[in-house]
Amino acid sequence: DARVTQTPRDKVTEMGQEVTMRCQPILGHNTVFWYRQTMMQGLELLAYFRNRAPLDDSGMPKDRFSAEMPDATLATLKIQPSEPRDSAVYFCASGLGGPNTGELFFGEGSRLTVL
Amino acid sequence: AQSVTQLGSHVSVSEGALVLLRCNYSSSVPPYLFWYVQYPNQGLQLLLKYTSAATLVKGINGFEAEFKKSETSFHLTKPSAHMSDAAEYFCAVRGVNNNDMRFGAGTRLTVKP
């Protein structure tokens, strides 16, 4: 059963600490997206990759957020230092780039609480 | 850049009644359009998608949506609501060159017994 796997599912940390969220995309998918979901802002696109190369990270606060794909099976989203306003659910999604596809498959999310 | 607008952040229907969730898109060319559903504490699941084939798209759980270019709409419908349909529904748009996928603000569907 192919699925996107995210870790951790829940993370509580204190302001100023570094947080790393990990995502294993579905094997064979060549696009990976990071979204942040909050009650106030809804689903915000933070960054996305194709074939491990970042295509757009304009939705990310550059001073504290970074996203990488060390290899095709792992995507990471790092926050350093974390702030209370970063509290949200972070979703990773993967898909296939190309015509007549386009859908994304979502992980179950990483719920981050920054105290 | 393409975007979607979902009309109504909350919709409440009675069990067995018609479900209609509205979505309008903004794009210079007909894009790919999607409806996703999110249950509490879960990720988003694809309900259906439009990728320039048939304008009436059938999805899972009895949902369907019709692409209307003249109205730039992609409304989601279901003839008869079930209690299990209570969830958050998101409309999304993606350009045909398969770049970023943008989501609407979501519509929370409540189903009353």
Side-chain angles (χ1 to χ4, degrees), chain A residues 34-55:
Chain A
W34 283 104
Y35 290 89
R36 176 171 63 184
Q37 185 177 37
T38 61
M39 289 292 291
M40 294 299 296
Q41 301 296 326
L43 275 163
E44 300 174 274
L45 177 61
L46 297 176
Y48 63 99
F49 296 75
R50 178 180 291 175
N51 297 325
R52 295 177 55 201
L55 290 189

Side-chain angles (χ1 to χ4, degrees), chain A residues 4-6 22-25 31-35 75 90-94 105-110:
Chain A
V4 176
T5 303
Q6 290 187 246
R22 293 176 174 80
C23 168
Q24 181 175 357
T31 60
V32 173
F33 288 65
W34 283 104
Y35 290 89
Y90 291 82
F91 287 102
C92 174
S94 71
F105 296 80
F106 281 76
E108 296 198 338
S110 293

Side-chain angles (χ1 to χ4, degrees), chain A residues 4-115:
Chain A
V4 176
T5 303
Q6 290 187 246
T7 57
R9 287 298 312 276
D10 281 282
K11 175 74 175 180
V12 180
T13 191
E14 293 188 348
M15 183 173 63
Q17 296 298 304
E18 177 179 301
V19 176
T20 299
M21 288 167 277
R22 293 176 174 80
C23 168
Q24 181 175 357
I26 292 174
L27 188 65
H29 283 184
N30 65 343
T31 60
V32 173
F33 288 65
W34 283 104
Y35 290 89
R36 176 171 63 184
Q37 185 177 37
T38 61
M39 289 292 291
M40 294 299 296
Q41 301 296 326
L43 275 163
E44 300 174 274
L45 177 61
L46 297 176
Y48 63 99
F49 296 75
R50 178 180 291 175
N51 297 325
R52 295 177 55 201
L55 290 189
D56 189 347
D57 61 0
S58 59
M60 247 174 21
K62 297 293 191 308
D63 56 338
R64 299 183 300 107
F65 283 60
S66 62
E68 296 179 345
M69 281 201 74
D71 61 60
T73 64
L74 177 64
T76 63
L77 180 66
K78 185 177 296 185
I79 308 174
Q80 168 63 16
S82 58
E83 298 181 1
R85 59 179 169 158
D86 301 329
S87 297
V89 181
Y90 291 82
F91 287 102
C92 174
S94 71
L96 289 169
N100 296 321
T101 54
E103 68 206 76
L104 295 181
F105 296 80
F106 281 76
E108 296 198 338
S110 293
R111 181 178 299 276
L112 174 64
T113 303
V114 183
L115 302 175

